[in-house]
């Protein structure tokens, strides 16, 4: 080997990939550790880095570096020697805030650990029980939806005459129940119900009590059980049966004539379109559910239909697809450029 001979491909691109990856890891750990130490609770009031070091029991130099990184991330404001939360951190990173996203961020550690143990995760042999994981998931999804998507959805649906005149609404696999709680606040004459697994409904009841709501719960498994009742609106948001034709048929059978089926779901493209898509699909396949059978694409399950197929199936059942509203708001599980859509279909025959 002649060591004076240059390689025929530059290493710069590879170095760039490594640098970006490491910086992302460093920033993630800064944010995670700041939350764990309660930095954003402490910085509700102005503080110098030396005061923060005394509060946290860390070296002054480390407190200084930590705060300066948070300033550059626009999570902390600096005025002279004093540091304080930005408005964003006050709303979303303070543990006492009604809009706190701390649980959403902390939950990312589980996925990070799966990636850090990729040699094991890539075997795809990790199985989880729905009744164990779903109660934890609904808490995070409740936090997530409160940061704008719930308000957008309620505002959208409340503009329909069918909603204004409705007397009954079923939230199918409604989890936290925040949507029917909000719907009943907008329309006090609307009696709302949440249908979900019994273990999940224990979490639902906590939210119902927190908001002193009249929402009622119905235990069941939508794959095995009928929904019962006769509803004016059936609402579905990001549940595993959201693209399943058998579930859609059960919805049809439980709706009154002229009733609305409001289905908010993630509809992936036919093929991954970006590096992020492929990474997400790989992560999706690290784990399996015991009862809900996943397919290879993120947030898809056995029997799911593609978007156009789903709309065609609804029309064939006796629905008229009234509107399709794309969701452009950032959504933690689905990413900044998501494929979320709200499909509003009316039972017409």
């Amino acid at each position: 080997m002649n060591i004076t001979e240059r390689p025929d491909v530059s290493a710069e691109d590879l170095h760039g990939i490594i640098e970006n990856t490491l910086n992302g890891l460093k920033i993630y750990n800064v944010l995670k550790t700041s939350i764990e130490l309660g930095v954003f609770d402490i910085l509700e009031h102005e503080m110098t880095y030396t005061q923060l070091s005394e509060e946290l029991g860390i070296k002054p130099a480390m407190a200084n570096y930590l705060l300066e990184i948070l300033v550059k991330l626009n999570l902390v404001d600096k005025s002279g020697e004093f540091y304080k939360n930005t408005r964003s951190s006050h709303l979303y990173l303070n543990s006492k805030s009604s809009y706190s996203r701390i649980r959403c961020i902390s939950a990312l550690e589980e996925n990070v650990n799966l990636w850090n143990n990729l040699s094991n995760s890539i075997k795809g042999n990790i199985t989880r029980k729905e009744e164990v994981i779903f109660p934890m998931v609904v808490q995070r999804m409740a936090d997530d939806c409160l940061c704008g998507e719930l308000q957008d959805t309620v505002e959208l649906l409340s503009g329909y005459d069918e909603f204004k005149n409705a007397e009954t609404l079923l939230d199918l696999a409604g989890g936290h129940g925040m949507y029917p709680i909000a719907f009943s606040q907008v329309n006090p004459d609307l009696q709302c119900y949440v249908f979900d697994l019994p273990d999940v409904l224990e979490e639902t009841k906590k939210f119902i009590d927190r908001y002193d709501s009249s929402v009622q719960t119905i235990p069941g498994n939508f794959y095995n059980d009928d929904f019962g009742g006769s509803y004016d609106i059936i609402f579905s948001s990001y549940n595993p049966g959201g693209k399943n034709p058998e579930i859609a048929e059960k919805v049809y059978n439980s709706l009154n004539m002229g009733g609305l089926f409001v289905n908010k779901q993630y509809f992936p493209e036919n093929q991954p379109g970006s590096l992020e898509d492929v990474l997400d699909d790989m992560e999706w396949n690290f784990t399996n559910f015991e009862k809900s059978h996943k397919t290879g694409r993120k947030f898809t399950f056995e029997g799911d239909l593609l978007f156009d197929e789903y709309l065609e199936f609804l029309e064939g059942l006796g629905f008229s697809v009234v509107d399709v509203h794309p969701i452009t708001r950032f959504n933690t599980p689905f990413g900044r450029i998501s494929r979320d859509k709200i499909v509003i279909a009316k039972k017409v025959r």
Side-chain angles (χ1 to χ4, degrees), residues 294-306:
K294 293 181 175 183
T295 62
R297 298 299 310 282
K298 186 179 182 182
F299 297 112
T300 59
F301 299 84
E302 286 184 8
D304 281 1
L305 299 176
L306 297 174

Side-chain angles (χ1 to χ4, degrees), residues 25-87:
L25 179 63
K26 293 172 186 177
I27 291 170
Y28 164 75
N29 280 295
V30 164
L31 182 57
K32 171 178 171 289
T33 300
S34 296
I35 290 172
E36 291 172 347
L37 293 175
V39 169
F40 300 106
D41 287 354
I42 296 170
L43 291 183
E44 283 295 287
H45 305 285
E46 286 188 334
M47 185 169 286
T48 65
Y49 77 85
T50 54
Q51 290 172 324
L52 184 68
S53 74
E54 293 173 3
E55 183 82 16
L56 298 180
I58 62 177
K59 291 182 178 180
M62 289 300 182
N64 184 38
Y65 290 135
L66 182 65
L67 287 169
E68 288 297 323
I69 292 169
L70 294 175
V71 168
K72 293 185 183 302
L73 293 173
N74 296 317
L75 296 175
V76 169
D77 283 329
K78 183 179 181 182
S79 177
E81 296 182 353
F82 291 92
Y83 299 85
K84 189 177 181 181
N85 284 339
T86 61
R87 178 61 178 168

